[in-house]
């Protein structure tokens, strides 16, 4: 029913004309989300943040209201939950939950990562899948949005245990994915090792189809520059933003959080741009090194040795290790790049970011800043690059991996990296253009939401009631 958001209704001769009100429509969609899934707080946070920025677009396009487009947008096309039984090395049987939320396929096959972490729930996967829809749209590539994962914790598990889990997970997931249907990739807890095990399991059941997963090893269809893509892309986006504002990365002091895939390559690229990255972290604590973090050592400790970031300070004389969040560490710097996880920056921590004279926050992780933190950035004139724009480099290169798989060709590192750079520049440009068109006063978050939304909305309208 459209009644809840129609503010005025009058008769124009034989026609009934509805004068719709964008704001009340948005509120009605938020009410529906809350009523349907009152406990899905992460999804609500992600969806409400986007919906709140779409009012000017709906004012311009009342036909979207008439077509009840937003309610369709916030409802996944499909949400799959399944049992994942597996056996640990000591012979015990375990059961985890697996999820795949296929959110929106308007502009292409479903695409989005798999996360293995104890915090994974339907709520978390829905929030990530929803963000993925607009993020994928921003890349300009023909990919829809999805996300998946499990509450399995790979930390401390042996390679054999991780392999058995991945095989069991894929035994069910394979029914729902395919190179032209849904193409998962990595996310937290899913790197090259896990993608290899998942691909092997898929292949046993369905034969060799290398386009079914991205983030693969180079010997079976992986793309050069895919591991680097999210971190490098974050810096290309940040560089584009600073350039547009007449600034540069050279000699900037940067705080990075996290020490995983995204953080490691963000540190590398920031250093190449002439900036100094003074921190990185894991879920126990953070390292501070005024001389600049060595990304190779972070990679060695976290990826190769699967150790803790504490060990960094034991190996580097100028580095200090502290327990707790890096966002509680009080020191002046210029740029914050959160690259760990969702909701890692609270309102109080955002206030400290402002006090520490930070001018830019660009997000490598998904939704690392709570809504009040984002409001704090705005109140303090901090330029803010939201995750769906700033970290889209990973999925963009995943889509380029799909192109290479279809062509049965491998592109050089330079070719992929150049295309990534162009894509990230373009994401900033279209977000900035939307910001200008709707006079949002350098609100790059709203600009990105609108730019991502417009393509999906136009496509859904063109495809009828889908
Ligand atoms: P990884 O698993 O490789 O690394 C995650 C890192 O964050 C680890 O160092 C982890 O430490 C740390 N971490 C987790 N929770 C916290 C916490 N509460 N406080 C501080 N550090 C924490 O994941 P990725 O680097 O792949 O992903 C990081 C973020 O980037 C996620 O939000 C992900 O969704 C997003 N992202 C990733 C993409 C990709 O291509 N990989 C693409 C786009 C977004 P510990 O070892 O202690 O767990």
């Amino acid at each position: 029913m459209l009644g809840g958001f129609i503010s005025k209704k009058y008769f124009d001769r034989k026609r009934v004309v509805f004068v719709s009100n964008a704001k009340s429509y948005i509120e009605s969609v938020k009410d529906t989300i809350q009523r349907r899934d009152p406990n899905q707080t992460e999804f609500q946070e992600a969806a409400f943040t986007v919906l709140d920025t779409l009012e000017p677009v709906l004012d311009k396009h009342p036909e979207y209201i008439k077509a009840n487009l937003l309610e369709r947008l916030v409802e996944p096309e499909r949400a799959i939950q399944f049992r994942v039984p597996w056996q640990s090395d000591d012979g015990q049987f375990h059961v985890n939950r697996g999820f795949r939320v296929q959110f929106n396929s308007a502009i292409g096959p479903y695409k989005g990562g798999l996360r293995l972490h104890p915090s994974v729930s339907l709520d978390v996967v829905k929030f990530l899948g929803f963000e993925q829809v607009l993020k994928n749209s921003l890349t300009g590539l023909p990919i829809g949005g999805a996300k998946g994962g499990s509450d399995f914790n790979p930390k401390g598990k042996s390679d054999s245990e991780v392999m058995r889990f991945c095989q069991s997970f894929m035994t069910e997931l394979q029914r729902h994915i395919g190179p032209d249907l849904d193409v998962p990739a990595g996310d937290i807890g899913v790197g090259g090792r896990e993608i290899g095990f998942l691909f092997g399991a898929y292949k046993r059941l369905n034969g060799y189809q290398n386009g079914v997963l991205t983030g693969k090893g180079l010997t079976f269809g992986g793309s050069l520059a895919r591991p680097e893509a999210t971190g490098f892309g974050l810096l290309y986006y940040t560089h584009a933003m600073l350039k547009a504002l007449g600034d540069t990365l050279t000699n900037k002091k940067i705080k990075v959080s996290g020490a995983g895939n995204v953080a490691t390559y963000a540190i590398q690229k920031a250093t190449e741009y002439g900036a100094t990255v003074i921190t990185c972290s894991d879920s126990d604590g953070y390292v501070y090194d005024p001389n600049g973090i060595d990304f190779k050592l972070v990679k060695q400790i976290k990826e190769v040795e699967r150790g803790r970031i504490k060990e960094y300070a034991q190996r580097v004389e100028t580095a200090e290790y502290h327990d707790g969040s890096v966002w509680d560490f009080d020191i002046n710097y210029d740029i914050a790049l959160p690259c760990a996880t969702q909701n890692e920056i609270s309102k109080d921590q955002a206030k400290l970011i402002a006090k520490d004279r930070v001018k830019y926050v660009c997000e490598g992780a998904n939704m690392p800043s709570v809504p009040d933190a984002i409001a704090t950035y705005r109140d303090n004139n901090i330029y803010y690059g939201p995750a769906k724009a700033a970290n889209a480099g990973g999925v963009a290169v995943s889509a380029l991996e799909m192109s290479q798989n279809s062509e049965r060709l491998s592109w050089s590192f330079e070719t992929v990296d150049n295309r990534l750079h162009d894509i990230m520049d373009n994401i900033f440009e279209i977000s900035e253009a939307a910001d200008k068109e709707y006079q949002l006063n350098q609100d790059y978050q709203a600009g990105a939401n609108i730019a991502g939304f417009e393509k999906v909305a136009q496509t859904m309208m063109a495809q009828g009631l889908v």
Side-chain angles (χ1 to χ4, degrees):
M1 267 303 286
L2 301 178
F5 52 86
I6 291 166
S7 57
K8 282 184 215 156
K9 179 174 140 186
Y10 60 89
F11 287 93
D12 172 14
R13 303 217 169 162
K14 287 181 198 145
R15 273 186 320 133
V16 177
V17 177
F18 293 109
V19 179
S20 307
N21 177 304
K23 201 174 180 65
S24 57
Y25 174 52
I26 288 170
E27 289 309 316
S28 84
V29 176
K30 285 162 74 173
D31 286 348
T32 304
I33 294 173
Q34 200 131 32
R35 180 173 45 75
R36 282 198 175 134
D37 297 301
N39 301 322
Q40 293 184 354
T41 51
E42 310 268 347
F43 173 60
Q44 284 173 20
E45 186 180 320
F48 292 3
T49 305
V50 170
L51 294 178
D52 283 337
T53 58
L54 296 181
E55 193 182 329
V57 188
L58 298 181
D59 281 336
K60 191 172 164 193
H61 293 282
E63 70 274 20
Y64 292 167
I65 303 180
K66 198 163 174 227
N68 200 7
L69 197 84
L70 292 191
E71 198 176 327
R72 289 192 269 146
L73 189 78
V74 298
E75 192 61 25
E77 289 175 18
R78 203 166 294 101
I80 302 149
Q81 180 180 316
F82 50 96
R83 179 172 68 198
V84 190
W86 60 279
Q87 194 173 20
S88 49
D89 291 342
D90 60 8
Q92 291 206 36
F93 299 127
H94 305 267
V95 175
N96 283 94
R97 273 193 176 161
F99 302 94
R100 186 71 179 164
V101 172
Q102 297 175 330
F103 224 107
N104 192 305
S105 60
I107 60 174
Y110 306 108
K111 182 91 197 84
L114 298 171
R115 176 178 290 192
L116 298 182
H117 192 273
S119 65
V120 169
S121 62
L122 185 58
D123 178 22
V124 167
V125 176
K126 271 182 70 180
F127 120 62
L128 291 164
F130 179 72
E131 286 284 290
Q132 199 78 45
V133 175
L134 301 185
K135 179 187 306 190
N136 292 3
S137 166
L138 281 171
T139 65
L141 299 165
I143 39 176
K147 202 79 187 190
S150 170
D151 57 0
F152 172 80
N153 186 359
K155 234 183 262 176
K157 303 285 190 305
S158 70
D159 285 353
S160 317
E161 287 172 330
V162 171
M163 181 179 72
R164 282 195 294 277
F165 172 83
C166 288
Q167 288 173 340
S168 179
F169 184 84
M170 185 53 91
T171 304
E172 174 62 30
L173 186 70
Q174 56 92 24
R175 298 168 202 277
H176 310 289
I177 62 174
D180 293 314
L181 173 64
D182 182 355
V183 183
D187 189 74
I188 291 180
V190 177
R193 174 183 65 170
E194 291 75 17
I195 292 289
F197 293 151
L198 289 163
F199 185 78
Y202 183 88
K203 185 167 67 74
R204 282 195 81 189
L205 294 162
N206 298 287
Y208 192 93
Q209 298 179 48
N210 64 5
V212 76
L213 288 168
T214 58
K216 299 181 293 291
L218 290 177
T219 53
F220 54 103
S223 174
L224 286 164
R226 174 60 187 91
E228 292 84 352
T230 310
F232 278 21
L234 171 65
L235 268 299
Y236 295 147
Y237 175 92
T238 308
H239 174 256
M241 181 196 278
L242 267 66
K243 197 169 155 206
L245 296 165
D247 204 347
T248 156
L249 279 160
T250 316
N251 296 327
K252 291 285 187 297
K253 257 199 225 176
I254 301 182
K255 246 193 205 183
V256 165
S257 66
N261 171 270
V262 180
T264 305
Y265 293 106
I267 297 169
Q268 178 182 349
K269 189 51 74 179
T271 309
E272 285 172 15
Y273 269 119
T276 305
V277 177
I278 56 171
T279 64
C280 64
S281 66
D282 61 18
S283 50
D284 295 332
Y286 63 92
V287 165
Y288 164 59
D289 187 345
N291 288 352
I293 300 286
D294 174 0
F295 80 92
K296 284 190 188 143
L297 183 55
V298 174
K299 198 167 147 65
Q300 173 67 24
I301 292 169
K302 292 295 286 183
E303 193 183 309
V304 180
E305 300 170 19
R306 296 190 188 273
R308 306 305 298 159
I309 204 61
K310 184 187 270 190
E311 293 159 37
Y312 186 102
Q314 291 158 5
R315 299 187 202 177
V316 176
E317 224 172 79
T318 49
E320 304 166 9
Y321 171 80
H322 301 275
D323 284 333
S325 167
V326 70
W327 305 115
D328 292 328
F329 172 43
D330 189 4
I331 188 168
N332 284 357
Y333 61 107
D334 306 295
I335 303 174
L337 301 178
C339 297
T341 191
Q342 68 262 23
N343 295 334
E344 55 171 298
I345 303 181
S346 67
K347 182 179 180 180
D348 284 344
Q349 289 167 327
K351 282 185 186 161
L352 184 63
I353 286 175
K355 180 191 155 279
D356 286 341
R357 300 196 191 152
V358 171
K359 280 179 74 181
Y360 311 94
V361 178
C362 291
E363 296 179 333
N366 281 311
M367 209 168 77
S369 313
V370 303
D372 282 348
I374 298 167
T376 306
Y377 304 149
R378 276 199 81 72
D379 292 345
N380 288 279
N381 300 319
I382 294 171
Y383 294 102
Y384 169 58
K388 69 172 67 66
N391 75 17
V395 74
V397 171
S398 274
L400 300 181
E401 181 174 330
M402 289 164 71
S403 302
Q404 294 170 72
N405 294 156
S406 300
E407 285 186 333
R408 307 225 177 272
L409 289 173
S410 298
W411 305 346
S412 68
F413 187 98
E414 203 186 12
T415 302
V416 179
D417 191 32
N418 286 340
R419 290 200 64 169
L420 169 66
H421 202 144
D422 288 346
I423 289 168
M424 299 312 296
D425 282 349
N426 188 54
I427 289 175
F428 180 75
E429 278 163 24
I430 60 175
S431 306
E432 194 189 30
D435 166 80
K436 286 194 173 134
E437 182 185 345
Y438 291 97
Q439 299 175 335
L440 302 170
N441 191 22
Q442 290 171 316
D443 182 345
Y444 301 130
Q445 179 191 30
N449 288 343
I450 291 171
F453 169 75
E454 281 186 325
K455 182 173 168 191
V456 177
Q458 283 162 21
T459 312
M460 286 176 73
M461 292 297 282
Q463 291 175 358
L465 186 54
V466 288

